[in-house]
Every structure is written in structure tokens, then in C-alpha cells.
Amino acid sequence: MENNDKLIIAGHEFNSRFILGSGKFSLDLVKAAVESAGAEIVTLALRRANTKTEYNILDFIPKTVTLLPNTSGARTAEEAVRIARLSRELGCGDFVKIEVIKDTKFLLPDNYETIKATEILAKEGFIVMPYMYPDLNVARDLANAGAATIMPLAAPIGSNLGLLTKHFIKIIIDEIKLPVIVDAGIGSPSQACEIMQEGAAAIMVNTAIATAKNINEMAEAFKLAIIAGRKAYLAGLGRVLNFKAEASSPLIDFLEDK
Amino acid sequence: MRVNGKDTELKGTKTLTDFLKDNNYNLGRIVIELNGEIVSKDKYNTINLKDTDVMEVLTFVGGG
């Protein structure tokens, strides 16, 4: 079936609106998770190489997938820029997900440093996808700095707590013209569906799948939920009635009042 | 020299390529930062390492 509803990031088209994080998986499960998710974008992290390691995660990700290295570990804009440049040298393309985190307890992103890193890297030709705490003013600054998408968090990284920031994400969706990709904290397919219904352009999920009892089934469940949410958004949700009702069946016309 | 935060003996190694091969790094899966500068792959053969060098050998791992 032809899909005319593409996710477009800086001119690059994707059929899938499901970005899969590859952390916390054993290597032999990564490939199956990517396939079950139908993901066309997968995130990676940069770390010191181990000379004894026989396999690399790139050996387990289909070649057709777009790699999205993150800058995890960066505490400042400068460190994020350093990681981004090193990642690009590895030959994975120009995409980069900016993560700048100083807060070691809640792992909340530093929006100020994120804006600085975004500006520097966008000028260097990177396709910058900044992870941020959902704040409309910051989203505007990121857009002005050259971000390709905005990636607000739903809840703290790895928490599976769900859409704690839903209202503020919705404000960004409504006010910012860039694709808004909800990242971090989404714990269930129903939550992914719910924010897709509100107009999120895509969802990024890692922990909810990596910590599920059946990884492949959960990856597929997310895939279907994201598709369902997108279709519902495009279809336009029905209106809501508060404190009243409206019959769905024709009113009874053959029973006489007593 | 220091490699990935650890003191490392060069043991007669001359070029960066020699060092990486001697230590069984997968050249297709790594990126090198030498004394704070990224080294492109086409330069590996032309760089002679020194005891005072500080090198990072990095690769992709799983991450969200």
C-alpha cells in the first residue's frame, strides 16, 4: 500500500513515524526489534571502543535504516558539538540528536546549552534534532537556531511514566511548524497513540520496548499504535460533549408515552 | 601515550594504522580523536604516534 503521508525531516522522507532507540538491548535482539518496529531511524550513542569486542551494533542494524547518533554524555554545548563531529566522522550521515544533560538524578535536558549546540551544529550542516524539556520559548529558539525537529520529553528518560508533559507538548505542536517528535518517558503504545492523535509527527521509544517481556511483540504494538494515532489525527477526532449526551441510535418513535 | 584514558606503551608502533591493527581495533567501526583533533581515515597511515599523545578510540554502541 502506498503511503503518501511521509515524515519529512530536513527534506528526507520516511514512511515510518517510529524512531527506535537502541539502548538496553542485547545485540542479537536489535535487528529483530528494528524489523518488528518497522523503524527507519535508529538512535545510537558514541563510546570508547573496546578492542576485544567482536561485534559492533552497526552489524545488527539494516543498511536501509537512517542512523541518528545522539550526544548522550554531553554536559555542555561544547561537549555535544564534539560528540556530533566525531559521530559524523564515523560515516553515519548528518543527522544528530542533541542531548545535553547536567542533571544526573532526573536526567533532564539543559535547554540553554541545547540551543547553543543546535546553533553551532546547524551552521555546520548537521540535521539537528534537539531533545528538550517542553517549553514553547525554547522550542522557538531552537527553530530559530536551525533545528530540523523539536524533540520534547514526555517524562524523565527511561521512566516509562507516560505523557506527564502532554499539555506543553501540545502547545509546541500547535505553535511550531517543525516536526515535533515526542521522545523519552513514553511507556505504552496507548500513550504513543494518544500524543500522535494530537499531531505529534513521530515518537521515539527505547526503554518501553527494551524492558518489555516480549520485545518484538511490544515493538510491533508500538508500531501499530503510532500508525493508529496518526490516522486518527489525520481523520480528525470527533467532538466532545461535556455534561450532556446525544443518542447514537434513532430516537424511539413507536413507543407511546405512558 | 594515553589511549581511552589509560596509559599505553607504544611498543615500537610507528603509525596510527599500525597501532590500531596491533590492538585489534575494527578500523571500519571506529573514529579517532588525537590530542583533541578528529583524524580522518585517510590520515591514519601518515601519522606517527608519540609517547605524549592522548588518543580516544570511539565507536557506536546502543543508545536512546
Side-chain angles (χ1 to χ4, degrees):
Chain A
M1 187 176 69
E2 189 179 356
N3 175 13
N4 293 318
D5 177 39
K6 311 277 189 187
L7 169 65
I8 301 174
I9 301 173
H12 296 259
E13 293 187 351
F14 301 93
N15 291 309
S16 168
R17 292 175 179 273
F18 186 177
I19 298 176
L20 183 68
S22 64
K24 303 176 183 172
F25 291 98
S26 62
L27 284 181
D28 56 332
L29 293 177
V30 168
K31 185 170 184 287
V34 172
E35 288 171 354
S36 296
E40 295 175 352
I41 303 175
V42 173
T43 61
L44 298 166
L46 191 70
R47 291 293 180 270
R48 284 173 166 165
N50 185 344
T51 58
K52 299 285 190 288
T53 304
E54 191 174 353
Y55 298 107
N56 186 278
I57 191 165
L58 293 181
D59 301 323
F60 297 85
I61 297 176
K63 298 285 182 269
T64 53
V65 166
T66 295
L67 302 177
L68 176 58
N70 66 33
T71 64
S72 64
R75 295 152 297 186
T76 63
E78 187 181 354
E79 289 177 350
V81 168
R82 178 185 172 197
I83 295 170
R85 289 170 178 162
L86 284 161
S87 295
R88 181 153 73 175
E89 189 65 29
L90 263 167
C92 63
D94 294 329
F95 284 82
V96 65
K97 178 189 156 192
I98 301 296
E99 278 185 44
V100 184
I101 296 174
K102 287 179 194 158
D103 164 39
T104 56
K105 183 174 183 182
F106 299 105
L107 303 178
L108 296 174
D110 183 321
N111 281 347
Y112 176 68
E113 293 291 318
T114 301
I115 295 166
K116 287 202 293 184
T118 296
E119 185 165 21
I120 294 166
L121 292 170
K123 283 178 181 168
E124 293 183 13
F126 282 89
I127 297 169
V128 185
M129 300 172 65
Y131 168 64
M132 53 93 77
Y133 193 88
D135 176 306
L136 177 58
N137 292 309
V138 172
R140 286 182 173 138
D141 287 343
L142 288 167
N144 290 334
T149 66
I150 304 293
M151 299 183 76
L153 64 85
I157 290 174
S159 67
N160 285 349
L161 279 171
L163 297 168
L164 301 187
T165 61
K166 180 181 175 184
H167 190 76
F168 296 97
I169 292 174
K170 176 63 174 162
I171 288 172
I172 293 173
I173 290 170
D174 289 348
E175 297 297 324
I176 301 291
K177 289 190 167 53
L178 296 172
V180 175
I181 300 171
V182 180
D183 178 13
I186 289 183
S188 71
S190 63
Q191 294 157 0
C193 183
E194 184 179 344
I195 200 66
M196 287 299 293
Q197 286 178 175
E198 299 291 341
I203 301 290
M204 188 185 146
V205 182
N206 190 152
T207 301
I209 294 169
T211 60
K213 287 177 183 167
N214 186 318
I215 285 172
N216 293 335
E217 290 290 317
M218 188 57 76
E220 187 176 3
F222 266 99
K223 177 178 83 171
L224 297 172
I226 290 166
I227 291 170
R230 179 65 182 176
K231 282 185 179 292
Y233 170 72
L234 294 175
L237 295 173
R239 54 84 178 118
V240 174
L241 291 178
N242 278 317
F243 303 109
K244 61 191 289 192
E246 180 185 88
S248 298
S249 305
L251 294 177
I252 297 165
D253 58 3
F254 62 93
L255 297 176
E256 300 295 332
D257 288 338
K258 292 183 180 174
Chain B
M1 67 183 296
R2 268 185 93 71
V3 179
N4 285 353
K6 292 179 182 169
D7 288 330
T8 304
E9 200 177 335
L10 278 172
K11 293 177 185 170
T13 297
K14 290 178 182 174
T15 68
L16 179 53
T17 300
D18 292 337
F19 176 84
L20 296 172
K21 285 183 176 173
D22 288 350
N23 286 277
N24 300 315
Y25 285 107
N26 181 346
L27 269 61
R29 296 286 191 233
I30 56 171
V31 59
I32 301 294
E33 188 185 61
L34 187 63
N35 303 320
E37 299 287 332
I38 296 172
V39 182
S40 61
K41 285 194 166 40
D42 59 354
K43 300 273 172 50
Y44 287 5
N45 261 324
T46 65
I47 290 176
N48 288 315
L49 295 174
K50 304 184 294 290
D51 283 333
T52 53
D53 283 337
V54 177
M55 182 161 68
E56 294 288 341
V57 187
L58 304 163
T59 191
F60 282 135
V61 298

